[in-house]
Structure formats: C-alpha cells, structure tokens
Amino acid sequence: METLSVSASAPEKRQKAVKRTGARSGEVSVRWRLAVASRVTAALIGGYLLTALSSVCLAQFLPLARAEAVVLAMTLSFLVYLPAVLWCFVCRTAWRAWFGLLLPSAVLGAIYASARWLL
Amino acid sequence: MKEGFRQAMAWLHTWAGLIFGWLLFAIFLTGTLSYFKNEISQWTQPELVPHQVTEVDSVNRAQRWLQENAGDAKRWFITLPDERSPALGLSWAKARGGFERKSLDALSGTPVQARESMGGEFFYRFHFQLQMPYPWGRWLASLSAMVMFVALVSGIITHKKIFKEFFTFRPRKGQRTWLDGHNAVAVLVLPFHLMITYSSLVIFMTMIMPVSILTTYGGNTQAFFDDLFPAFKTAPASTETAPLAPIAPMFEVAAEKWPGSRIGLITVNNPGKANASVTLTPSGADHIPNISGTTLMFDGVSGALKDESTMSAASLMLAGGLYGLHMGHFAGPLLRWLYFLAGIGGTAMIGTGLVIWLGKRKLKHAKAGVLPFELRLVEMLNVASMSGLMLAVVSFFWANRLLPVSFAGRSDWEVRTFFCMWGLALLHAFVRVFFREGRSAWREQLTLAASLYCALPVLDLLTAGDYLFASLKQGQMTLAALDVTALITGIFLAWGAMRFGEGGKVAFVSKLTPTDSRRKSDSGVSANSGSEPARESVRADATAQEAN
C-alpha cells in the first residue's frame, strides 16, 4: 500500500513540473490525471463526509437549545469543509488525501455513535 | 515544503477558478444587479408610481382586497410598500394547494395595471437558481460558492504579500497589468468577498448541510423549523367560521413593542376561520440581521396579542447576521451603491482571473501563432460568459421596452430574449474564436454591447419618456439613475472595445515576450508605479503565482 502511494506521488509531482516547463502538449500521464481525479473526489466527497460528521457532532455536543445548536453546527460546518479541501491538494499523495479525511471522519463517527447509542 | 505548499495552493486557485469562473462570473454579475432588484423592477414596470400612503391605509386596503378575492385561502402574506417598492405585495396559499401573487396599487387598493415583467426578480432568481429546476440550481450555485471560497482562500495563501502588492499597479503592461488589477480588486474588497461567499453557503445551509437536522430531529424536520419560527407553525383550519379582526390596530401594539421598526411581513393563518391568527414580523430594512423568527402573534378573531417570540440567541444572530449582510436589505442608498460597487469588484476579480489564465497560456503559443483547441475553447467561453452576458442583460431591458405592453406572455419573452441573446453570443464567440481570432470576438461583442447600453436611455425616452419625466417631477430618481448607469456601463464597454481594436495589441501581450519591447517604445509608457523593492518582491511573488 505504502509503495503504491509513493510511486503514485513521485510522478504526480514530476509531471506537474514537466507540464510547467514543457511547451509541447499531451505530456500529462494517465496516472497523473487519475491522481488528480482522486484528489478532487476526495475533496468533494471525503470533505463533505468530514464536514457533515463535524456538524453532527457539534449539534450533539454544543450546550445549547436544540435548534440553536443545529443552526450553529450548520453555520460553522463550512469552516471545516475549507481546510478539508485544501488538505486534499496540499498533501503529498492522493492516498494521503483520502486517509487524512477518512481517519478523522471515522473518529467523529465513532464519538457520535458511542454518545448516541452506548452512553 | 513551504514553497510546495504555496505552489499547491496556486494550482488549486488556478484550476478551481477556471472551471467555475464562468458560472461564478454570471452569479456575481446578476447578484450585483440584485442589490437594485426593486429599482430594476420599478424601471421595468414604470406604470407603478410611488404614493405617500400610511401603513394603516395600506394594510386596510390589502385586507379588504384579500377578503373579497382570496377569502378561502389557507394563508395570506402581505408586504407593505416602502421607499424601494411602490406596490402592495400580496400572496396567498390557495385552499386547494398552489400559490398566487398579486401587486396592488397602494393608493387605490386595486390590482396594478402595469406591463408584465419579472424585472429585478429575474436576475435575483437567476443568481441562485440558475434557471434550473428546484433544487438543482440552488445546489449548483452552492457548489460554486464553495469553490469560490476555496479559490479565495487559496488565492490569499498563494499571494502572501497582498498588502504590499496592493499598492503596486502597473498600467499598460499587458499580462502584468491584468494580474495587478486582479490582485488589487481582490484585496480592496476582500472582506466583502469573504462575507458574500460564506454567507451564501449559510443561506442555503439547510439545503446543503442538513444532516445535523436529521440526527437531532429525526425524520421530523418540520419540528426544527417550528422551533426556529414558532409563529409560522401551520395549524389545520377549523371548520367554524368567524370574521377576521382588522389588522391595522395590531400595528399600534407592534409600534410599542418594536420602537423604530416598521412592519415587514404580515402573515394571516386560516383567515375567516375561528382559529385565525395574524403574525407581524419587523421589516428587514431596519435591522442588519435577518430576524424572521422575531414575531408578534395575534388572535385573528379578537385581535388580542397572543404570543411573542424574539430571535436573539447568539447562534441565530450569527446565521441571521450573515444572511442579512448578504441580502443587504438594511442598506440605505449610499451603502447600497457600495454593495453594488463591491459586487462589480468581485465580478471584475473573476473576469480578470479568467483573462489571466488564458493570457499566460497564450504566451507559450505566441510564436507559433496557432492556439490549441483547449485554449480556443477557454477563449470562446471567456467571451461568451463575459461580454455575452453583458449583451444578454441589456437585451432584457431592450425587450422590456420594445415588446408591446399588452402582449401575452411578455414576461416570458423578456426572459427568452435574455437567453437567446446569450446563446447567440456563444455562437458568435465560437465562430470568431475558431475561425478567426479571439480579439475580433471581444471587439464585436463589446462594441454591440456598448452601443446597446449607451442607447438604452434614448430607447427609454422614446418608449417610456412620459413615465421618466413624471417620476423626475415627483423627485423620484430611480428610473433616471438606471438610465445613467446604463450609459456609464456603455461608455466603459466602449473603452473596452477600443482596447481590443485593430491597432493596439495590449490585452494579452506580456512584458516578458519579445514583442513587448516594440510595444513599449510605441506607447512610450515607462514603469513608474511602485517602489523598486516593492516591484522586486512582486516579481518574485508573481513567479510563484505563475508556477502552475
């Protein structure tokens, strides 16, 4: 898994560099395109998942009246979406982008689930 | 690593900005027009004349008309005329489902006899619904807003020396000028950009981020809205009938409870039934935050105050405040113009960004003289989305004045004219960009748009001059102000068209290209803006920006 991600990362960066300097078109590899598509999907869907779970946890744990907590949770949620999206394009590999979103999502999901159904 | 971070941000800024730039340009432009929604509607329905009418008279007239014509409705909504909209706005939910609207003349209390037109409402609706079926348009607009947010923040990160560069503007230097302009307008109205983008997400948050409602309230989402807006809960109509109490006396109670605030919306639930109720909401023009949860609720039969709710919780004020800032209902004339100018700034930022994207890539193909397909595609979309949209907007106003006043379905034809013009502009851009060159597409569309905008006041004089003079005599500046704004827009577009003229190759030629030295000696303009160290740092920064 790790080797795959590393091998996906290296050409990804290099291709970017080639694209920048090379004047001829069509030098962008399929692998690079796939990696970008994967990052975009991670940003859109993974980012949304993390944002939604954050707002669910906020609404659950904010010490406010029910409707107020929900409104605040929704209002602030986009502040989570933004760094989540940025993360997907900053991290070294597309795999990391997914990992970096799905891990905190799982943690938030577990916290919410245990508060809701275990306690 | 640090440089890698900024390069990644530059990459994200570039591509997010490109792919959503065309749509965002349209959203920003029509949204900017929406700050003058009521004023545009006044222009498109010049038959509506503002009157000096008291609130009490207005509400009595509204109540009388609704009792006679919509007595069996489930619910009435009444908005009173104010300084921005001269008519009484009525709408009601019909007993058998469906919704109807009507505007009444505030003086006579009869339906207004005005030409049919959506007016400012069309641009307002378009800027968040994009003429798409519910809820898709709103979802797409919200997605664009999120991309805008990402593009803004990644742009700020890319561009770390924004404040130093703000004072660096180098005119007539091609690509560099566009970049300076992009940065300057971005920084100048940055708080507006951030506010308008984030608040647009907050406005639609229950549509785009509703999970927390579901987890908190289960399937009963209506309970959430009932908690927020207790006065708007719907109760089934009782079978017993009872006459509705007059609404006007309730205004005295409201004046006591909310000193200094007018009534914005009057809601009557189950009119004519034994369980009728009347809800008053303060006018949005008197408060920055949207406080539609603040209400006074009256018994509809006895007319006594039954209940009141106040929206004051911090979290609701945050969301309502963002909502209110976005809509700008509270803005007086000066602030409204500032909103409008900030909106133009945002539109210009998006437009210059699109031009820079293409200009940078055109440089690489300058020697060959042939543009690859994808760059032509971008150029075509640039032309159609910017000058094409300007054409579409002005054609809406032309259609309003040229279509016969009593023509059936004229309102739809105005909208159709808008989209037909936009479509034709796209076709024209396609033909010019792919079979000639992009500059001719810009030049021709901007020339046509400039003449249409400049001629709009003339058209207004010829077709509706009486209304214009009558309104001026009354001291109403709205109609004239729109004409003058169109004229100024036309002059600006004419200047733009001239810049794309045959002679001066200014638009897309960079300082870095060989052709530039020739151009420089032609124009005789030297770099004289910005101190030397500032310019150096800009150059270094611009290199980072270009690195994508």
Side-chain angles (χ1 to χ4, degrees):
Chain A
M1 199 64 170
E2 196 48 40
T3 50
L4 188 61
S5 68
V6 168
S7 64
S9 79
E12 204 176 327
K13 284 288 171 195
R14 222 175 292 143
Q15 284 297 348
K16 250 188 223 179
V18 169
K19 194 173 156 245
R20 188 149 34 90
T21 48
R24 279 156 289 281
S25 56
E27 80 281 21
V28 181
S29 73
V30 174
R31 172 171 272 178
W32 188 79
R33 280 171 201 262
L34 281 178
V36 171
S38 173
R39 282 173 194 254
V40 171
T41 318
L44 272 175
I45 295 173
Y48 188 88
L49 181 71
L50 180 61
T51 311
L53 285 165
S54 319
S55 78
V56 163
C57 282
L58 267 177
Q60 177 79 13
F61 299 113
L62 276 174
L64 293 170
R66 211 157 58 137
E68 288 166 34
V70 170
V71 167
L72 190 59
M74 286 191 293
T75 306
L76 299 180
S77 65
F78 307 104
L79 291 178
V80 179
Y81 209 160
L82 175 76
V85 170
L86 297 188
W87 158 254
C88 288
F89 295 94
V90 166
C91 60
R92 281 210 305 280
T93 70
W95 291 109
R96 265 168 177 267
W98 280 102
F99 186 70
L101 295 179
L102 291 180
L103 183 70
S105 298
V107 172
L108 286 173
I111 292 174
Y112 174 75
S114 51
R116 179 91 189 247
W117 289 294
L118 294 182
L119 300 179
Chain B
M1 188 65 212
K2 251 208 168 131
E3 275 315 294
F5 174 63
R6 283 183 62 209
Q7 274 192 16
M9 288 296 110
W11 184 90
L12 184 58
H13 180 77
T14 305
W15 293 96
L18 176 76
I19 292 166
F20 278 83
W22 301 299
L23 186 56
L24 281 166
F25 186 91
I27 292 175
F28 263 69
L29 186 72
T30 50
T32 302
L33 291 175
S34 303
Y35 281 119
F36 287 119
K37 173 162 90 92
N38 300 3
E39 286 76 6
I40 290 175
S41 294
Q42 274 194 52
W43 193 92
T44 60
Q45 294 189 306
E47 295 86 358
L48 287 186
V49 184
H51 304 291
Q52 292 289 335
V53 194
T54 63
E55 280 184 332
V56 171
D57 287 344
S58 301
V59 77
N60 283 338
R61 280 173 196 135
Q63 187 174 1
R64 194 178 318 137
W65 195 88
L66 282 166
Q67 263 164 351
E68 281 163 17
N69 298 284
D72 61 338
K74 280 190 259 185
R75 187 178 259 201
W76 300 339
F77 299 99
I78 306 168
T79 50
L80 300 181
D82 61 16
E83 63 276 8
R84 292 187 58 221
S85 43
L88 255 171
L90 308 182
S91 53
W92 60 94
K94 292 194 282 191
R96 273 172 229 87
F99 208 75
E100 214 167 310
R101 297 171 186 281
K102 201 102 202 170
S103 293
L104 294 194
D105 185 283
L107 201 60
S108 67
T110 52
V112 291
Q113 302 295 323
R115 66 187 73 191
E116 212 189 290
S117 173
M118 282 183 78
E121 191 74 13
F122 167 68
F123 300 111
Y124 172 66
R125 294 274 151 199
F126 179 81
H127 109 276
F128 62 88
Q129 293 178 333
L130 309 171
Q131 208 70 11
M132 288 162 80
Y134 181 88
W136 297 98
R138 291 175 185 213
W139 276 345
L140 182 57
S142 301
L143 176 66
S144 314
M146 193 61 218
V147 173
M148 179 79 194
F149 192 31
V150 168
L152 271 177
V153 174
S154 57
I156 297 167
I157 297 172
T158 308
H159 199 78
K160 60 180 175 195
K161 291 178 187 133
I162 44 178
F163 290 102
K164 197 182 269 175
E165 281 187 33
F166 176 61
F167 296 101
T168 316
F169 183 72
R170 290 148 291 184
R172 304 181 78 86
K173 300 197 89 60
Q175 187 68 28
R176 208 31 70 74
T177 303
W178 284 101
L179 189 60
D180 285 351
H182 181 69
N183 295 339
V185 77
V187 175
L188 183 66
V189 269
L190 187 58
F192 172 80
H193 293 321
L194 290 171
M195 176 280 286
I196 212 76
T197 307
Y198 200 82
S199 58
S200 64
L201 295 166
V202 171
I203 287 171
F204 284 138
M205 64 189 180
T206 57
M207 281 187 73
I208 54 178
M209 199 58 72
V211 242
S212 55
I213 307 178
L214 295 173
T215 55
T216 313
Y217 284 86
N220 186 13
T221 48
Q222 191 55 45
F224 165 69
F225 294 103
D226 288 345
D227 272 1
L228 280 183
F229 311 111
F232 292 95
K233 258 187 245 179
T234 41
S238 87
T239 47
E240 279 175 68
T241 58
L244 185 68
I247 299 171
M250 301 172 191
F251 277 43
E252 289 164 27
V253 183
E256 221 169 89
K257 294 272 180 193
W258 303 323
S261 172
R262 288 165 296 175
I263 304 299
L265 178 70
I266 304 150
T267 313
V268 181
N269 299 304
N270 304 320
K273 300 289 185 300
N275 66 342
S277 64
V278 179
T279 305
L280 303 184
T281 317
S283 166
D286 299 328
H287 307 265
I288 293 178
N290 176 289
I291 43 169
S292 44
T294 294
T295 52
L296 293 174
M297 206 172 162
F298 297 85
D299 188 295
V301 180
S302 71
L305 180 64
K306 246 185 2 187
D307 201 4
E308 59 183 301
S309 62
T310 313
M311 201 174 188
S312 60
S315 70
L316 305 186
M317 290 316 267
L318 176 65
L322 284 166
Y323 189 108
L325 280 174
H326 188 106
M327 309 291 272
H329 287 317
F330 64 91
L334 179 65
L335 194 53
R336 189 160 295 279
W337 277 104
L338 282 178
Y339 258 120
F340 183 75
L341 290 177
I344 291 179
T347 314
M349 175 181 72
I350 297 165
T352 49
L354 286 168
V355 169
I356 292 168
W357 188 96
L358 187 63
K360 246 177 219 170
R361 281 152 191 84
K362 266 188 164 181
L363 290 179
K364 290 178 196 154
H365 304 278
K367 271 189 211 136
V370 184
L371 280 184
F373 172 79
E374 61 270 20
L375 293 191
R376 283 175 188 256
L377 188 68
V378 168
E379 179 146 50
M380 173 185 91
L381 290 171
N382 276 2
V383 175
S385 72
M386 293 192 246
S387 58
L389 179 61
M390 293 303 284
L391 272 172
V393 167
V394 77
S395 65
F396 181 91
F397 290 103
W398 274 73
N400 178 270
R401 284 294 187 259
L402 290 180
L403 288 172
V405 171
S406 54
F407 184 56
R410 72 186 304 290
S411 172
D412 292 339
W413 277 101
E414 285 174 12
V415 174
R416 232 164 270 165
T417 310
F418 175 93
F419 286 107
C420 284
M421 193 61 161
W422 209 356
L424 283 175
L426 179 67
L427 191 67
H428 171 261
F430 167 74
V431 171
R432 281 294 180 254
V433 170
F434 281 91
F435 298 103
R436 249 175 95 187
E437 41 131 30
R439 298 173 56 79
S440 61
W442 279 111
R443 188 174 59 241
E444 288 164 12
Q445 292 202 8
L446 287 174
T447 307
L448 179 61
S451 37
L452 286 178
Y453 277 95
C454 286
L456 191 66
V458 181
L459 177 74
D460 187 29
L461 272 176
L462 291 178
T463 56
D466 297 345
Y467 298 115
L468 180 63
F469 290 124
S471 77
L472 283 175
K473 236 174 245 166
Q474 275 203 326
Q476 299 287 332
M477 299 306 290
T478 308
L479 303 185
L482 197 144
D483 286 339
V484 172
T485 310
L487 183 65
I488 294 170
T489 311
I491 293 169
F492 172 73
L493 292 175
W495 173 78
M498 266 161 60
R499 304 281 289 175
F500 283 104
E502 303 283 2
K505 274 198 167 275
V506 282
F508 299 117
V509 186
S510 164
K511 193 164 160 282
L512 307 167
T513 56
T515 50
D516 187 64
S517 52
R518 180 166 47 80
R519 194 173 53 84
K520 207 163 159 188
S521 58
D522 284 349
S523 62
V525 175
S526 60
N528 56 357
S529 46
S531 67
E532 200 52 46
R535 217 176 311 141
E536 275 317 306
S537 73
V538 169
R539 204 159 293 152
D541 220 38
T543 330
Q545 276 202 322
E546 273 157 19
N548 51 62

